[in-house]
Amino acid sequence: MIPRPKPERFRLRRTMIFMSSQKPGLIKDAYIYGVDSIMLDLEDAVAENQKDAARFSLYHALKTIDYGDTEVIVRINGLDTPHWKEDIRVCVAGGADGIRIAKCESAQDVKTVEEHVLAAEREFGVEEGRTLLMAALESPKGILNAYEICSASDRMFGVAISGGDFRKCMQTKFTPDGVDMMVARGQMLIAARAAGVQCFDTVFTNLNDEEGYRAEVLQNKAMGFDGKSLINPKQIRLVHELFAPTEKEITQAEKIVRAYREQSAAGVGVFTVDGKMIDIAFIPGAERTLKLARACGLYEGDLV
Amino acid sequence: MQILKPATAGTLESSDLMVTLEPGNGGIELSLTSSVMNQYGRQIKKTVLETLERLEVKDAKVTVVDKGALDCTIKARVECAVFRANDASAENIPWGGVIV
């Protein structure tokens, strides 16, 4: 058995790749791609009559395969199906880092899952509170209730929007500029930040449209997403590349943090760095840039 | 566990295997074919038989068609087939009990 370290609620999650739990060929070597999180799927990627088989396969994968630093999340079936309770039992028993609640629409959905997770932790002798949660918002109702969902549990680390189902509900289709989901993405981001959790964008499904994919990842970054859901390993590198701070951003952040510490020690609240006004409001952003740079292997200083 | 009715689990995709169970004639009767028979035949057979023993299956006709599955997949497919043969694969699985 491979003992997994205790999951971190807030860690780097730029990329989260979907893998069907029913496909041994996929899940056995999912850790080699350097993705931040893998999402072993018990929901839509598994046919209705194979839900049982996928759980056996998932359990042994979790217990046997060394995923190293790659986070292992499991997407469980929706609360309107007969499957989700057993899904939770197998996730907790197998020691998954977290559970993704599909089609989440309310704080009550999160609390219902949390209750069963706690019961499973007790049943299988897993440390209480170990199993993290995240929610997928797939409907207009989910988006409208984003804040209560994000703040429904101390186990919650983030929310993700699911484009396919959301567009279906809204009677829209994919547009290259993202205008079809602009409001929903924005509302979810605001809710996530207000609740202090992470926020992830949906998948980009056209693997041949490289330009479109790049444009969407850049927009995700500009909007403030922490990361993106992926369907293919070849999508990983671009997100890591584009989400990494540039050398210029890192140098600038370093200067700001250093100057702030010196100035505030000397009793100064507002000052300039390279001609730009800086006060305390800039510091968390600069520190976050340095932390992200460190996580990406681009910063080795001692400021964060 | 007994094999109450015929049951299968798995696929013929690469890295997977297909397990078929039928009620036996007083013992385990295993028929194995594998794409990696020469290298891993004995190991696969051992894993299948150990899994059946762990689940206390003593009477079954077992057909395994392997496509280069890892041990953890072999266990998962055999267990699933046994639970399916008892109509017991959908819930309350003894994870960490006989399923280890």
PDB file of all heavy atoms in Angstrom, chain A residues 252-253 255-264 267-287:
ATOM      1  N   GLN A 252       9.981  42.352 -10.372  1.00  0.00           N
ATOM      2  CA  GLN A 252       9.161  43.440  -9.865  1.00  0.00           C
ATOM      3  C   GLN A 252       8.564  43.091  -8.496  1.00  0.00           C
ATOM      4  O   GLN A 252       8.606  43.894  -7.557  1.00  0.00           O
ATOM      5  CB  GLN A 252       8.029  43.724 -10.887  1.00  0.00           C
ATOM      6  CG  GLN A 252       7.078  44.820 -10.510  1.00  0.00           C
ATOM      7  CD  GLN A 252       7.716  46.206 -10.701  1.00  0.00           C
ATOM      8  OE1 GLN A 252       8.860  46.308 -11.124  1.00  0.00           O
ATOM      9  NE2 GLN A 252       6.971  47.243 -10.343  1.00  0.00           N
ATOM     10  N   ALA A 253       8.041  41.860  -8.384  1.00  0.00           N
ATOM     11  CA  ALA A 253       7.431  41.433  -7.127  1.00  0.00           C
ATOM     12  C   ALA A 253       8.468  41.411  -6.011  1.00  0.00           C
ATOM     13  O   ALA A 253       8.203  41.819  -4.877  1.00  0.00           O
ATOM     14  CB  ALA A 253       6.811  40.046  -7.295  1.00  0.00           C
ATOM     15  N   LYS A 255      11.176  43.234  -5.796  1.00  0.00           N
ATOM     16  CA  LYS A 255      11.486  44.628  -5.440  1.00  0.00           C
ATOM     17  C   LYS A 255      10.419  45.197  -4.517  1.00  0.00           C
ATOM     18  O   LYS A 255      10.725  45.870  -3.533  1.00  0.00           O
ATOM     19  CB  LYS A 255      11.507  45.490  -6.716  1.00  0.00           C
ATOM     20  CG  LYS A 255      12.851  45.610  -7.389  1.00  0.00           C
ATOM     21  CD  LYS A 255      12.742  46.702  -8.433  1.00  0.00           C
ATOM     22  CE  LYS A 255      13.916  46.691  -9.394  1.00  0.00           C
ATOM     23  NZ  LYS A 255      13.696  47.592 -10.512  1.00  0.00           N
ATOM     24  N   ILE A 256       9.154  44.935  -4.868  1.00  0.00           N
ATOM     25  CA  ILE A 256       8.047  45.495  -4.099  1.00  0.00           C
ATOM     26  C   ILE A 256       8.051  44.953  -2.673  1.00  0.00           C
ATOM     27  O   ILE A 256       7.966  45.713  -1.711  1.00  0.00           O
ATOM     28  CB  ILE A 256       6.692  45.182  -4.797  1.00  0.00           C
ATOM     29  CG1 ILE A 256       6.573  46.008  -6.081  1.00  0.00           C
ATOM     30  CG2 ILE A 256       5.518  45.454  -3.871  1.00  0.00           C
ATOM     31  CD1 ILE A 256       5.368  45.663  -6.946  1.00  0.00           C
ATOM     32  N   VAL A 257       8.195  43.648  -2.552  1.00  0.00           N
ATOM     33  CA  VAL A 257       8.158  43.046  -1.210  1.00  0.00           C
ATOM     34  C   VAL A 257       9.329  43.535  -0.375  1.00  0.00           C
ATOM     35  O   VAL A 257       9.182  43.924   0.795  1.00  0.00           O
ATOM     36  CB  VAL A 257       8.150  41.496  -1.310  1.00  0.00           C
ATOM     37  CG1 VAL A 257       8.284  40.871   0.065  1.00  0.00           C
ATOM     38  CG2 VAL A 257       6.872  41.018  -1.989  1.00  0.00           C
ATOM     39  N   ARG A 258      10.520  43.566  -0.996  1.00  0.00           N
ATOM     40  CA  ARG A 258      11.710  44.024  -0.280  1.00  0.00           C
ATOM     41  C   ARG A 258      11.547  45.481   0.171  1.00  0.00           C
ATOM     42  O   ARG A 258      11.769  45.805   1.346  1.00  0.00           O
ATOM     43  CB  ARG A 258      12.931  43.910  -1.196  1.00  0.00           C
ATOM     44  CG  ARG A 258      14.155  43.403  -0.486  1.00  0.00           C
ATOM     45  CD  ARG A 258      15.316  43.304  -1.461  1.00  0.00           C
ATOM     46  NE  ARG A 258      15.362  42.014  -2.163  1.00  0.00           N
ATOM     47  CZ  ARG A 258      15.708  40.868  -1.590  1.00  0.00           C
ATOM     48  NH1 ARG A 258      16.017  40.828  -0.306  1.00  0.00           N
ATOM     49  NH2 ARG A 258      15.750  39.755  -2.277  1.00  0.00           N
ATOM     50  N   ALA A 259      11.098  46.326  -0.772  1.00  0.00           N
ATOM     51  CA  ALA A 259      10.950  47.749  -0.465  1.00  0.00           C
ATOM     52  C   ALA A 259       9.897  47.951   0.620  1.00  0.00           C
ATOM     53  O   ALA A 259      10.080  48.742   1.542  1.00  0.00           O
ATOM     54  CB  ALA A 259      10.558  48.517  -1.728  1.00  0.00           C
ATOM     55  N   TYR A 260       8.815  47.190   0.523  1.00  0.00           N
ATOM     56  CA  TYR A 260       7.746  47.344   1.518  1.00  0.00           C
ATOM     57  C   TYR A 260       8.261  47.016   2.915  1.00  0.00           C
ATOM     58  O   TYR A 260       7.999  47.726   3.878  1.00  0.00           O
ATOM     59  CB  TYR A 260       6.562  46.447   1.171  1.00  0.00           C
ATOM     60  CG  TYR A 260       5.519  46.432   2.250  1.00  0.00           C
ATOM     61  CD1 TYR A 260       4.676  47.520   2.437  1.00  0.00           C
ATOM     62  CD2 TYR A 260       5.410  45.346   3.125  1.00  0.00           C
ATOM     63  CE1 TYR A 260       3.736  47.530   3.453  1.00  0.00           C
ATOM     64  CE2 TYR A 260       4.473  45.347   4.141  1.00  0.00           C
ATOM     65  CZ  TYR A 260       3.636  46.435   4.312  1.00  0.00           C
ATOM     66  OH  TYR A 260       2.720  46.439   5.324  1.00  0.00           O
ATOM     67  N   ARG A 261       9.021  45.949   3.005  1.00  0.00           N
ATOM     68  CA  ARG A 261       9.511  45.551   4.333  1.00  0.00           C
ATOM     69  C   ARG A 261      10.456  46.603   4.911  1.00  0.00           C
ATOM     70  O   ARG A 261      10.392  46.923   6.095  1.00  0.00           O
ATOM     71  CB  ARG A 261      10.181  44.177   4.267  1.00  0.00           C
ATOM     72  CG  ARG A 261       9.096  43.124   4.015  1.00  0.00           C
ATOM     73  CD  ARG A 261       9.586  41.706   4.083  1.00  0.00           C
ATOM     74  NE  ARG A 261       8.492  40.817   3.655  1.00  0.00           N
ATOM     75  CZ  ARG A 261       8.626  39.537   3.378  1.00  0.00           C
ATOM     76  NH1 ARG A 261       9.806  38.957   3.493  1.00  0.00           N
ATOM     77  NH2 ARG A 261       7.588  38.806   3.000  1.00  0.00           N
ATOM     78  N   GLU A 262      11.312  47.146   4.049  1.00  0.00           N
ATOM     79  CA  GLU A 262      12.241  48.188   4.522  1.00  0.00           C
ATOM     80  C   GLU A 262      11.481  49.446   4.915  1.00  0.00           C
ATOM     81  O   GLU A 262      11.696  50.008   5.983  1.00  0.00           O
ATOM     82  CB  GLU A 262      13.260  48.532   3.423  1.00  0.00           C
ATOM     83  CG  GLU A 262      14.356  47.492   3.296  1.00  0.00           C
ATOM     84  CD  GLU A 262      15.140  47.622   1.985  1.00  0.00           C
ATOM     85  OE1 GLU A 262      15.007  48.685   1.325  1.00  0.00           O
ATOM     86  OE2 GLU A 262      15.861  46.672   1.625  1.00  0.00           O
ATOM     87  N   GLN A 263      10.566  49.879   4.020  1.00  0.00           N
ATOM     88  CA  GLN A 263       9.855  51.131   4.258  1.00  0.00           C
ATOM     89  C   GLN A 263       8.948  51.030   5.471  1.00  0.00           C
ATOM     90  O   GLN A 263       8.882  51.955   6.278  1.00  0.00           O
ATOM     91  CB  GLN A 263       9.009  51.500   3.018  1.00  0.00           C
ATOM     92  CG  GLN A 263       9.820  51.749   1.758  1.00  0.00           C
ATOM     93  CD  GLN A 263      10.520  53.103   1.757  1.00  0.00           C
ATOM     94  OE1 GLN A 263      10.323  53.916   2.646  1.00  0.00           O
ATOM     95  NE2 GLN A 263      11.364  53.339   0.760  1.00  0.00           N
ATOM     96  N   SER A 264       8.234  49.921   5.603  1.00  0.00           N
ATOM     97  CA  SER A 264       7.305  49.850   6.728  1.00  0.00           C
ATOM     98  C   SER A 264       8.064  49.761   8.044  1.00  0.00           C
ATOM     99  O   SER A 264       7.617  50.276   9.064  1.00  0.00           O
ATOM    100  CB  SER A 264       6.319  48.698   6.571  1.00  0.00           C
ATOM    101  OG  SER A 264       7.007  47.485   6.499  1.00  0.00           O
ATOM    102  N   GLY A 267       8.642  53.085   9.091  1.00  0.00           N
ATOM    103  CA  GLY A 267       7.450  53.873   9.393  1.00  0.00           C
ATOM    104  C   GLY A 267       6.799  54.526   8.184  1.00  0.00           C
ATOM    105  O   GLY A 267       5.947  55.402   8.327  1.00  0.00           O
ATOM    106  N   VAL A 268       7.159  54.088   6.961  1.00  0.00           N
ATOM    107  CA  VAL A 268       6.577  54.687   5.761  1.00  0.00           C
ATOM    108  C   VAL A 268       5.492  53.760   5.198  1.00  0.00           C
ATOM    109  O   VAL A 268       5.706  52.555   5.083  1.00  0.00           O
ATOM    110  CB  VAL A 268       7.670  54.901   4.686  1.00  0.00           C
ATOM    111  CG1 VAL A 268       7.063  55.520   3.424  1.00  0.00           C
ATOM    112  CG2 VAL A 268       8.779  55.778   5.235  1.00  0.00           C
ATOM    113  N   GLY A 269       4.324  54.315   4.877  1.00  0.00           N
ATOM    114  CA  GLY A 269       3.201  53.502   4.402  1.00  0.00           C
ATOM    115  C   GLY A 269       3.089  53.458   2.890  1.00  0.00           C
ATOM    116  O   GLY A 269       2.765  52.434   2.302  1.00  0.00           O
ATOM    117  N   VAL A 270       3.351  54.576   2.228  1.00  0.00           N
ATOM    118  CA  VAL A 270       3.226  54.606   0.783  1.00  0.00           C
ATOM    119  C   VAL A 270       4.522  55.143   0.181  1.00  0.00           C
ATOM    120  O   VAL A 270       5.136  56.063   0.723  1.00  0.00           O
ATOM    121  CB  VAL A 270       1.980  55.421   0.344  1.00  0.00           C
ATOM    122  CG1 VAL A 270       2.066  56.872   0.777  1.00  0.00           C
ATOM    123  CG2 VAL A 270       1.753  55.315  -1.167  1.00  0.00           C
ATOM    124  N   PHE A 271       4.957  54.543  -0.909  1.00  0.00           N
ATOM    125  CA  PHE A 271       6.253  54.902  -1.494  1.00  0.00           C
ATOM    126  C   PHE A 271       6.228  54.524  -2.965  1.00  0.00           C
ATOM    127  O   PHE A 271       5.195  54.042  -3.466  1.00  0.00           O
ATOM    128  CB  PHE A 271       7.397  54.180  -0.755  1.00  0.00           C
ATOM    129  CG  PHE A 271       7.186  52.699  -0.686  1.00  0.00           C
ATOM    130  CD1 PHE A 271       7.734  51.862  -1.648  1.00  0.00           C
ATOM    131  CD2 PHE A 271       6.414  52.128   0.329  1.00  0.00           C
ATOM    132  CE1 PHE A 271       7.519  50.488  -1.610  1.00  0.00           C
ATOM    133  CE2 PHE A 271       6.193  50.749   0.371  1.00  0.00           C
ATOM    134  CZ  PHE A 271       6.753  49.937  -0.591  1.00  0.00           C
ATOM    135  N   THR A 272       7.297  54.733  -3.701  1.00  0.00           N
ATOM    136  CA  THR A 272       7.311  54.356  -5.111  1.00  0.00           C
ATOM    137  C   THR A 272       8.405  53.333  -5.399  1.00  0.00           C
ATOM    138  O   THR A 272       9.473  53.352  -4.771  1.00  0.00           O
ATOM    139  CB  THR A 272       7.526  55.566  -6.050  1.00  0.00           C
ATOM    140  OG1 THR A 272       8.785  56.163  -5.711  1.00  0.00           O
ATOM    141  CG2 THR A 272       6.421  56.601  -5.910  1.00  0.00           C
ATOM    142  N   VAL A 273       8.113  52.453  -6.334  1.00  0.00           N
ATOM    143  CA  VAL A 273       9.118  51.517  -6.859  1.00  0.00           C
ATOM    144  C   VAL A 273       9.113  51.684  -8.375  1.00  0.00           C
ATOM    145  O   VAL A 273       8.061  51.504  -8.998  1.00  0.00           O
ATOM    146  CB  VAL A 273       8.794  50.055  -6.474  1.00  0.00           C
ATOM    147  CG1 VAL A 273       9.734  49.100  -7.205  1.00  0.00           C
ATOM    148  CG2 VAL A 273       8.897  49.845  -4.976  1.00  0.00           C
ATOM    149  N   ASP A 274      10.239  52.017  -8.948  1.00  0.00           N
ATOM    150  CA  ASP A 274      10.341  52.276 -10.394  1.00  0.00           C
ATOM    151  C   ASP A 274       9.261  53.249 -10.875  1.00  0.00           C
ATOM    152  O   ASP A 274       8.638  53.040 -11.921  1.00  0.00           O
ATOM    153  CB  ASP A 274      10.235  50.965 -11.187  1.00  0.00           C
ATOM    154  CG  ASP A 274      11.406  50.035 -10.881  1.00  0.00           C
ATOM    155  OD1 ASP A 274      12.451  50.544 -10.424  1.00  0.00           O
ATOM    156  OD2 ASP A 274      11.262  48.822 -11.086  1.00  0.00           O
ATOM    157  N   GLY A 275       8.991  54.252 -10.071  1.00  0.00           N
ATOM    158  CA  GLY A 275       8.041  55.293 -10.493  1.00  0.00           C
ATOM    159  C   GLY A 275       6.584  54.955 -10.266  1.00  0.00           C
ATOM    160  O   GLY A 275       5.701  55.744 -10.595  1.00  0.00           O
ATOM    161  N   LYS A 276       6.303  53.755  -9.689  1.00  0.00           N
ATOM    162  CA  LYS A 276       4.892  53.401  -9.459  1.00  0.00           C
ATOM    163  C   LYS A 276       4.568  53.417  -7.972  1.00  0.00           C
ATOM    164  O   LYS A 276       5.376  52.955  -7.146  1.00  0.00           O
ATOM    165  CB  LYS A 276       4.604  51.991  -9.992  1.00  0.00           C
ATOM    166  CG  LYS A 276       4.518  51.936 -11.496  1.00  0.00           C
ATOM    167  CD  LYS A 276       4.058  50.557 -11.950  1.00  0.00           C
ATOM    168  CE  LYS A 276       4.343  50.366 -13.422  1.00  0.00           C
ATOM    169  NZ  LYS A 276       4.964  49.097 -13.738  1.00  0.00           N
ATOM    170  N   MET A 277       3.388  53.959  -7.653  1.00  0.00           N
ATOM    171  CA  MET A 277       2.988  54.021  -6.260  1.00  0.00           C
ATOM    172  C   MET A 277       2.739  52.625  -5.695  1.00  0.00           C
ATOM    173  O   MET A 277       2.081  51.798  -6.334  1.00  0.00           O
ATOM    174  CB  MET A 277       1.694  54.841  -6.124  1.00  0.00           C
ATOM    175  CG  MET A 277       1.312  55.057  -4.681  1.00  0.00           C
ATOM    176  SD  MET A 277      -0.467  55.319  -4.463  1.00  0.00           S
ATOM    177  CE  MET A 277      -1.076  53.656  -4.345  1.00  0.00           C
ATOM    178  N   ILE A 278       3.279  52.378  -4.523  1.00  0.00           N
ATOM    179  CA  ILE A 278       3.071  51.080  -3.859  1.00  0.00           C
ATOM    180  C   ILE A 278       2.618  51.328  -2.420  1.00  0.00           C
ATOM    181  O   ILE A 278       3.188  52.170  -1.720  1.00  0.00           O
ATOM    182  CB  ILE A 278       4.403  50.281  -3.808  1.00  0.00           C
ATOM    183  CG1 ILE A 278       4.960  50.012  -5.212  1.00  0.00           C
ATOM    184  CG2 ILE A 278       4.221  48.972  -3.042  1.00  0.00           C
ATOM    185  CD1 ILE A 278       4.112  49.117  -6.088  1.00  0.00           C
ATOM    186  N   ASP A 279       1.589  50.623  -1.998  1.00  0.00           N
ATOM    187  CA  ASP A 279       1.245  50.599  -0.577  1.00  0.00           C
ATOM    188  C   ASP A 279       0.878  49.169  -0.202  1.00  0.00           C
ATOM    189  O   ASP A 279       1.050  48.240  -1.016  1.00  0.00           O
ATOM    190  CB  ASP A 279       0.137  51.612  -0.236  1.00  0.00           C
ATOM    191  CG  ASP A 279      -1.162  51.314  -0.978  1.00  0.00           C
ATOM    192  OD1 ASP A 279      -1.293  50.200  -1.523  1.00  0.00           O
ATOM    193  OD2 ASP A 279      -2.031  52.197  -1.023  1.00  0.00           O
ATOM    194  N   ILE A 280       0.322  49.001   0.973  1.00  0.00           N
ATOM    195  CA  ILE A 280       0.112  47.639   1.494  1.00  0.00           C
ATOM    196  C   ILE A 280      -0.797  46.784   0.594  1.00  0.00           C
ATOM    197  O   ILE A 280      -0.678  45.559   0.554  1.00  0.00           O
ATOM    198  CB  ILE A 280      -0.432  47.698   2.947  1.00  0.00           C
ATOM    199  CG1 ILE A 280      -0.387  46.309   3.591  1.00  0.00           C
ATOM    200  CG2 ILE A 280      -1.837  48.297   3.004  1.00  0.00           C
ATOM    201  CD1 ILE A 280      -0.610  46.327   5.083  1.00  0.00           C
ATOM    202  N   ALA A 281      -1.670  47.456  -0.182  1.00  0.00           N
ATOM    203  CA  ALA A 281      -2.605  46.727  -1.046  1.00  0.00           C
ATOM    204  C   ALA A 281      -1.888  45.898  -2.117  1.00  0.00           C
ATOM    205  O   ALA A 281      -2.438  44.921  -2.636  1.00  0.00           O
ATOM    206  CB  ALA A 281      -3.566  47.704  -1.721  1.00  0.00           C
ATOM    207  N   PHE A 282      -0.655  46.266  -2.453  1.00  0.00           N
ATOM    208  CA  PHE A 282       0.079  45.552  -3.506  1.00  0.00           C
ATOM    209  C   PHE A 282       0.826  44.322  -2.989  1.00  0.00           C
ATOM    210  O   PHE A 282       1.306  43.509  -3.766  1.00  0.00           O
ATOM    211  CB  PHE A 282       1.103  46.488  -4.171  1.00  0.00           C
ATOM    212  CG  PHE A 282       0.461  47.558  -5.004  1.00  0.00           C
ATOM    213  CD1 PHE A 282      -0.045  48.721  -4.416  1.00  0.00           C
ATOM    214  CD2 PHE A 282       0.339  47.411  -6.383  1.00  0.00           C
ATOM    215  CE1 PHE A 282      -0.646  49.706  -5.184  1.00  0.00           C
ATOM    216  CE2 PHE A 282      -0.260  48.390  -7.153  1.00  0.00           C
ATOM    217  CZ  PHE A 282      -0.761  49.549  -6.560  1.00  0.00           C
ATOM    218  N   ILE A 283       0.958  44.241  -1.673  1.00  0.00           N
ATOM    219  CA  ILE A 283       1.865  43.231  -1.120  1.00  0.00           C
ATOM    220  C   ILE A 283       1.353  41.793  -1.298  1.00  0.00           C
ATOM    221  O   ILE A 283       2.108  40.929  -1.756  1.00  0.00           O
ATOM    222  CB  ILE A 283       2.191  43.529   0.364  1.00  0.00           C
ATOM    223  CG1 ILE A 283       2.736  44.950   0.479  1.00  0.00           C
ATOM    224  CG2 ILE A 283       3.199  42.534   0.916  1.00  0.00           C
ATOM    225  CD1 ILE A 283       3.847  45.285  -0.520  1.00  0.00           C
ATOM    226  N   PRO A 284       0.076  41.519  -0.974  1.00  0.00           N
ATOM    227  CA  PRO A 284      -0.372  40.122  -1.159  1.00  0.00           C
ATOM    228  C   PRO A 284      -0.187  39.641  -2.600  1.00  0.00           C
ATOM    229  O   PRO A 284       0.214  38.492  -2.828  1.00  0.00           O
ATOM    230  CB  PRO A 284      -1.864  40.180  -0.793  1.00  0.00           C
ATOM    231  CG  PRO A 284      -1.992  41.363   0.094  1.00  0.00           C
ATOM    232  CD  PRO A 284      -0.982  42.359  -0.392  1.00  0.00           C
ATOM    233  N   GLY A 285      -0.448  40.511  -3.566  1.00  0.00           N
ATOM    234  CA  GLY A 285      -0.297  40.136  -4.973  1.00  0.00           C
ATOM    235  C   GLY A 285       1.149  39.816  -5.302  1.00  0.00           C
ATOM    236  O   GLY A 285       1.453  38.820  -5.975  1.00  0.00           O
ATOM    237  N   ALA A 286       2.054  40.662  -4.812  1.00  0.00           N
ATOM    238  CA  ALA A 286       3.481  40.446  -5.073  1.00  0.00           C
ATOM    239  C   ALA A 286       3.952  39.152  -4.405  1.00  0.00           C
ATOM    240  O   ALA A 286       4.712  38.371  -4.990  1.00  0.00           O
ATOM    241  CB  ALA A 286       4.285  41.637  -4.573  1.00  0.00           C
ATOM    242  N   GLU A 287       3.463  38.927  -3.185  1.00  0.00           N
ATOM    243  CA  GLU A 287       3.875  37.698  -2.491  1.00  0.00           C
ATOM    244  C   GLU A 287       3.323  36.461  -3.209  1.00  0.00           C
ATOM    245  O   GLU A 287       3.993  35.438  -3.297  1.00  0.00           O
ATOM    246  CB  GLU A 287       3.379  37.724  -1.029  1.00  0.00           C
ATOM    247  CG  GLU A 287       4.214  38.671  -0.185  1.00  0.00           C
ATOM    248  CD  GLU A 287       3.723  38.811   1.248  1.00  0.00           C
ATOM    249  OE1 GLU A 287       2.585  38.378   1.546  1.00  0.00           O
ATOM    250  OE2 GLU A 287       4.473  39.371   2.060  1.00  0.00           O
TER     251      GLU A 287
END
